[in-house]
Amino acid sequence: MITKMIQTTVFVNELEEAKKFYTEKLGFCIHTELTFGPGWHYLTVAPHKDSETVIELLQANTAEQKALIGKQAADQVLLMFATNDIEGDYRALKARGVSFHGEPSAVPGGRGVGFEDLDGNQFDLYQAD
């Protein structure tokens, strides 16, 4: 029986730049960082060290992978992040240079706002009612 989701992968152009963005701008922590050999660097980040689900940041190397950067979910949101203070988080993230697609507004079940990482991967910040 499947019990939970533990990891998802997000393709990025340059791993070190993505690592800086996710840790310095979004405030995520490095969950796991390992090098298994030349060209095989495993890096996961998460909002908190004890998060059950992590994001693997994977540097795109092949033409197929590079074509997916910012388009893994086509023109839709790839991931949604929950917050308990959407207004405060929006202001703090915006002050750190995160690019938003507007301001928090009413959406079904709460308030939300879209944003993107440095490679154009689309995310939502959401606070339930």
Side-chain angles (χ1 to χ4, degrees):
M1 172 194 304
I2 296 173
T3 59
K4 60 185 164 185
M5 182 178 146
I6 59 170
Q7 178 177 306
T8 191
T9 300
V10 174
F11 288 117
V12 297
N13 280 307
E14 206 286 309
L15 193 58
E16 284 303 313
E17 288 300 313
K19 178 180 169 181
K20 283 182 187 177
F21 177 87
Y22 281 81
T23 58
E24 295 174 12
K25 295 203 184 270
L26 294 184
F28 285 14
C29 66
I30 295 170
H31 189 272
T32 306
E33 186 168 19
L34 302 167
T35 300
F36 295 108
W40 189 7
H41 191 84
Y42 178 72
L43 173 65
T44 64
V45 296
H48 301 284
K49 195 70 174 164
D50 60 352
S51 294
E52 290 189 13
T53 305
V54 298
I55 301 169
E56 178 187 13
L57 300 177
L58 183 62
Q59 184 164 321
N61 291 315
T62 68
E64 182 180 22
Q65 291 171 344
K66 289 176 182 181
L68 291 173
I69 294 173
K71 298 175 180 62
Q72 283 177 256
D75 61 350
Q76 298 297 308
V77 170
L78 180 60
L79 300 170
M80 182 180 287
F81 299 102
T83 177
N84 59 6
D85 180 10
I86 195 164
E87 295 294 336
D89 286 343
Y90 166 78
R91 285 190 304 275
L93 294 171
K94 191 169 177 104
R96 287 188 221 138
V98 175
S99 177
F100 281 89
H101 305 151
E103 297 181 0
S105 61
V107 296
R111 295 180 55 76
V113 62
F115 68 98
E116 61 187 64
D117 72 4
L118 72 166
D119 291 310
N121 293 298
Q122 303 294 309
F123 305 117
D124 267 353
L125 186 63
Y126 175 78
Q127 181 176 0
D129 287 335

